[in-house]
């Protein structure tokens, strides 16, 4: 079905609008190309209708299916770009500002932006972002829930990195976790952005619960 689309943006005026939408992250203006990956049932629905078939994809499951397609395409694009020496950065603000991005990119009903990539040749080569150890990610055979000691072990290395210890001091909090819950991804913001995204999903035709 390939229920996704990719919007390739290079025009400066559109990049300026996307820059505003993506919380004024500089890479949106600096990178020569912005790729916006969208869940897209618009094209497939039109094909069905033009072939005497009645589409039934105006529901949340269909949105979720298309969102998965879009994310798989984005990851493949990221891997291919890096293979060819390009630099990429994911823009997590895409779903936060989906309503505005729909306006900027003229996305019709049945299309929802899911994620975006900035793409270009980098002028620096920073180290990879730290990651949790595999024992914190991989479960064998079945899911094994974590006890308090295992949680401490999984996050120990991250919490001991000088960068994060300095971040805790700057933000005047007791723990690194509090930076996430009180500074970066607060409950208030999460609820607000959730309500906004649910509104977008409904307006774009994916909330038929009959």
């Amino acid at each position: 079905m390939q229920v996704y689309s990719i919007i390739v943006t290079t025009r400066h005026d559109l990049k300026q609008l996307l820059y505003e939408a993506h919380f004024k992250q500089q890479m949106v203006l600096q990178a020569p190309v912005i790729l916006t990956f969208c869940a897209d049932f618009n094209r497939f629905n039109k094909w069905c209708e033009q072939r005497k078939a009645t589409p039934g994809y105006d529901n949340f499951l269909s949105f979720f299916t298309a969102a998965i397609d879009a994310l798989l395409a984005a990851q493949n694009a990221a891997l291919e770009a890096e293979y060819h020496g390009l630099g990429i950065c994911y823009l997590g603000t895409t779903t936060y500002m989906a309503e505005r991005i729909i306006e900027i990119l003229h996305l019709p009903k049945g299309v929802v932006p899911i994620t975006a990539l900035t793409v270009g040749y980098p002028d620096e080569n920073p180290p990879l972002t730290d990651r949790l150890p595999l024992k914190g990610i991989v479960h064998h055979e079945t899911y094994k829930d974590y006890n308090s000691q295992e949680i401490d072990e999984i996050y120990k290395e991250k919490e001991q990195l000088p960068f994060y210890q300095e971040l805790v001091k700057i933000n005047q909090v007791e723990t690194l976790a509090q930076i996430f819950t009180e500074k970066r991804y607060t409950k208030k913001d999460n609820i607000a952005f959730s309500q906004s995204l649910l509104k977008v999903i409904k307006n774009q035709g994916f909330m038929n619960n009959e």
Side-chain angles (χ1 to χ4, degrees), residues 68-140:
I68 292 171
D69 270 13
L71 289 173
L72 289 171
Q75 184 63 18
N76 285 337
L79 292 172
E80 187 70 11
E82 290 188 327
Y83 175 78
H84 289 285
L86 291 158
I88 62 96
C89 184
Y90 274 95
L91 296 172
T93 43
T94 307
T95 48
Y96 295 172
M97 299 299 291
E99 187 172 19
R100 179 62 183 131
I101 293 170
I102 285 170
E103 295 174 355
I104 294 169
L105 299 180
H106 301 166
L107 304 183
K109 196 167 185 176
V111 183
V112 177
I114 300 299
T115 192
L117 291 176
T118 57
V119 183
Y121 288 101
D123 58 8
E124 57 184 352
N125 188 27
L128 293 175
T129 304
D130 60 276
R131 289 289 185 263
L132 294 177
L134 283 180
K135 65 181 179 180
I137 306 296
V138 179
H139 301 257
H140 295 280

Side-chain angles (χ1 to χ4, degrees), residues 17-203:
L17 294 174
L18 289 173
Y19 162 74
E20 299 284 343
H22 285 290
F23 297 175
K24 297 184 177 180
Q25 296 182 82
Q26 286 299 318
M27 76 274 288
V28 177
L29 293 179
Q30 294 168 347
V33 179
I34 312 299
L35 302 178
T36 303
F37 295 82
C38 303
D40 182 0
F41 258 100
N42 174 56
R43 180 188 64 249
F44 191 79
N45 286 343
K46 288 185 173 181
W47 174 68
C48 289
E49 290 165 353
Q50 289 181 206
R51 296 298 184 271
K52 301 178 181 180
T54 303
Y57 311 112
D58 57 350
N59 46 70
F60 183 77
L61 177 63
S62 297
F63 164 76
F64 196 64
T65 298
I68 292 171
D69 270 13
L71 289 173
L72 289 171
Q75 184 63 18
N76 285 337
L79 292 172
E80 187 70 11
E82 290 188 327
Y83 175 78
H84 289 285
L86 291 158
I88 62 96
C89 184
Y90 274 95
L91 296 172
T93 43
T94 307
T95 48
Y96 295 172
M97 299 299 291
E99 187 172 19
R100 179 62 183 131
I101 293 170
I102 285 170
E103 295 174 355
I104 294 169
L105 299 180
H106 301 166
L107 304 183
K109 196 167 185 176
V111 183
V112 177
I114 300 299
T115 192
L117 291 176
T118 57
V119 183
Y121 288 101
D123 58 8
E124 57 184 352
N125 188 27
L128 293 175
T129 304
D130 60 276
R131 289 289 185 263
L132 294 177
L134 283 180
K135 65 181 179 180
I137 306 296
V138 179
H139 301 257
H140 295 280
E141 311 303 345
T142 62
Y143 191 102
K144 182 179 179 296
D145 205 356
Y146 311 97
N147 60 39
S148 58
Q149 181 180 348
E150 289 168 333
I151 291 294
D152 288 341
E153 291 174 356
I154 290 166
Y155 287 92
K156 181 179 179 180
E157 183 178 349
K158 182 184 287 287
E159 290 175 327
Q160 290 181 343
L161 289 173
F163 173 79
Y164 290 119
Q165 291 184 347
E166 182 65 19
L167 209 57
V168 168
K169 290 181 182 179
I170 292 172
N171 284 274
Q172 298 181 328
V173 294
E174 185 179 353
T175 70
L176 178 60
Q178 289 170 340
I179 293 177
F180 285 88
T181 61
E182 298 175 16
K183 305 293 183 178
R184 294 199 64 184
Y185 306 108
T186 67
K187 181 177 181 179
K188 178 182 177 182
D189 286 346
N190 285 337
I191 290 174
F193 287 128
S194 292
Q195 291 173 340
S196 176
L197 182 58
L198 285 169
K199 177 185 173 184
V200 164
I201 294 171
K202 180 179 179 180
N203 290 344

